[in-house]
């Protein structure tokens, strides 16, 4: 696998001429990331994975400093699955960028308690896309709001790039894989699967209760486990507005803190599930 560290490295090698399938990450790679890379191999061209912990998307009291940094083992994992290229820029990659203002949908869900988070995400994605010029870019639906925002942003500013959203990969006990799971203590890790269990509980009981009852009951269940809810609700999967009735494609989404660690998860309801 060839590793590139600077913008000029990428440009001088004219990488994009081969057709690039991009998987942007912040490293600490797990099966969730690897599933995106595996899927990207089904598309024509080469796969390039970017690893960059984007300081612009962390708030002042968030975990930028503690975010797991495991670059050596990340590179080994990428080599093992025959990734073609990695782009691993230095910290100054995020300096002197014009901040992009994310549209109003960014103020919902995660945006409520993380002001500016999605401005930071779009700013770095804009930069990574302009350097790499991929044909396709792959994102996990775990970060559902991020996916919607990047998809809309790309339609407007990089119409030549196709955005592909892929399913959430989970641990055996249902917990959505996340680099932040590594920050949980043993006891916190034990209660973490309750988050997904409650999403499934809402799904399975959607004919028995109203949405507000479902949200109230499962919020209480989570709080009994000392899981502090940031938001839990049922939303329209396109505009992320709260819905009053379950409808085809409703998004059940949650963000919650266990100790100091903030985790997110969601499921999209359809006829089959
Ligand atoms: P991150 O390194 O957390 O910024 O994530 C990089 C990409 O991997 C994003 O598109 C995430 O949505 C995706 N991702 C993270 N966790 C998972 C997971 N458990 N399943 C699928 N995709 C994931």
């Amino acid at each position: 696998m060839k590793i590139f560290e600077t913008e000029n490295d990428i440009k001088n090698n004219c990488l994009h001429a081969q057709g690039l399938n991009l998987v942007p990450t912040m490293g600490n790679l797990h099966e969730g990331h690897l599933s995106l890379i595996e899927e990207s191999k089904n598309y024509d061209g080469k796969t390039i994975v970017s690893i960059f912990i984007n300081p612009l998307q962390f708030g002042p009291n968030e975990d930028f400093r503690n975010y797991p940094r495991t670059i050596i083992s990340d590179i080994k994992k990428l080599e093992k699955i025959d990734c073609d290229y990695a782009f691993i820029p230095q910290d100054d990659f995020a300096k002197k960028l014009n901040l992009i203002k994310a549209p109003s949908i960014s103020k919902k869900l995660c945006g409520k308690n993380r002001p500016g988070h999605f401005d930071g995400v779009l700013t770095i994605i804009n930069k990574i896309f302009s350097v790499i010029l991929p044909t396709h870019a792959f994102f996990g639906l775990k970060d559902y709001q991020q996916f919607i925002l990047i998809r809309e942003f790309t339609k407007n500013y990089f119409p030549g790039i196709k955005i592909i959203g892929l399913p959430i990969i989970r641990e055996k006990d249902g917990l959505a894989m996340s680099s932040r799971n590594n920050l949980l203590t043993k006891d916190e890790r034990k209660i973490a699967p309750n988050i997904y269990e409650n999403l499934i509980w809402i799904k399975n009981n959607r004919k028995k209760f109203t949405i507000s009852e479902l949200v109230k009951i499962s919020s209480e269940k989570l709080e009994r486990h000392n899981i502090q809810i940031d938001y839990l609700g049922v939303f329209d999967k396109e505009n992320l507005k709260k819905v009053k009735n379950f409808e085809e494609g409703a998004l059940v989404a949650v963000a919650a803190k266990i100790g100091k660690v903030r985790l997110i998860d969601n499921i999209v309801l359809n006829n089959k599930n």
Side-chain angles (χ1 to χ4, degrees):
M1 181 179 71
K2 202 159 176 352
I3 299 176
F4 299 90
E5 288 180 2
T6 66
E7 220 173 308
N8 284 340
D9 250 4
I10 301 263
K11 287 186 180 152
N12 294 341
N13 282 281
C14 281
L15 281 197
H16 72 278
Q18 315 166 49
L20 292 175
N21 298 310
L22 168 68
V23 181
T25 80
M26 298 206 295
N28 194 236
L29 302 180
H30 51 64
E31 293 296 321
H33 298 112
L34 301 186
S35 73
L36 306 182
I37 299 168
E38 289 297 355
E39 178 62 19
S40 78
K41 292 182 183 168
N42 297 325
Y43 290 72
D44 285 343
K46 304 277 189 191
T47 294
I48 181 161
V49 173
S50 63
I51 299 181
F52 182 66
I53 305 176
N54 172 24
L56 305 175
Q57 70 187 65
F58 289 82
N61 299 319
E62 294 185 349
D63 53 357
F64 175 66
R65 273 158 171 263
N66 293 335
Y67 198 85
R69 287 161 169 82
T70 51
I71 201 71
I72 309 270
S73 74
D74 288 348
I75 291 172
K76 282 196 187 131
K77 285 180 190 169
L78 293 177
E79 281 175 339
K80 198 164 168 213
I81 63 164
D82 284 330
C83 178
D84 300 299
Y85 306 124
F87 177 48
I88 311 179
Q90 302 296 315
D91 294 353
D92 62 1
F93 187 64
K95 296 236 165 86
K96 295 191 192 148
L97 299 181
N98 289 330
L99 199 70
I100 289 177
K101 267 267 152 258
S104 60
I105 228 178
S106 68
K107 304 270 189 298
K108 298 178 182 295
L109 310 189
C110 288
K112 276 198 179 144
N113 279 341
R114 303 189 74 189
H117 168 70
F118 291 112
D119 298 346
V121 169
L122 291 185
T123 301
I124 212 70
I125 282 294
N126 180 50
K127 175 75 176 171
I128 294 176
F129 279 5
S130 352
V131 172
I132 301 208
L133 298 173
T135 53
H136 300 85
F138 298 78
F139 294 88
L141 294 176
K142 181 168 101 60
D143 298 271
Y144 191 90
Q145 189 175 11
Q146 166 176 287
F147 167 74
I148 297 275
L149 281 159
I150 292 176
R151 191 187 61 188
E152 295 314 303
F153 174 76
T154 307
K155 259 189 216 155
N156 291 331
Y157 297 101
F158 293 92
I161 304 177
K162 283 214 174 65
I163 300 298
I164 318 277
L166 294 168
I168 301 175
I169 305 298
R170 301 180 177 282
E171 302 286 356
K172 282 205 182 78
D173 59 15
L175 177 65
M177 289 193 181
S178 165
S179 306
R180 291 197 166 92
N181 295 349
N182 292 330
L183 303 173
L184 296 168
T185 64
K186 254 192 179 167
D187 287 343
E188 290 169 347
R189 175 63 186 82
K190 275 191 202 143
I191 58 167
N194 279 287
I195 294 177
Y196 180 57
E197 276 164 29
N198 272 276
L199 296 182
I200 295 294
W201 184 84
I202 290 178
K203 183 186 88 173
N204 291 341
N205 288 281
R206 67 189 190 267
K207 303 225 164 83
K208 284 195 213 149
F209 299 99
T210 64
I211 288 182
S212 59
E213 285 166 343
L214 289 164
V215 168
K216 185 167 180 285
I217 297 168
S218 47
S219 299
E220 284 166 1
K221 287 203 279 181
L222 288 172
E223 275 152 14
R224 274 202 294 278
H225 283 100
N226 270 335
I227 299 177
Q228 294 161 279
I229 295 166
D230 176 355
Y231 63 81
L232 169 63
V234 185
F235 306 92
D236 181 287
K237 78 174 172 39
E238 293 303 322
N239 61 27
L240 305 186
K241 287 187 180 155
K242 273 192 181 162
V243 294
K244 295 211 171 75
N245 300 302
F246 280 103
E247 37 195 75
E248 169 68 16
L251 170 78
V252 189
V254 60
K257 263 188 156 181
I258 304 183
K260 290 191 175 133
V261 185
R262 186 176 183 279
L263 300 175
I264 56 172
D265 200 351
N266 70 76
I267 50 177
V268 176
L269 303 177
N270 59 43
N271 279 338
K272 282 177 240 136
N273 65 13

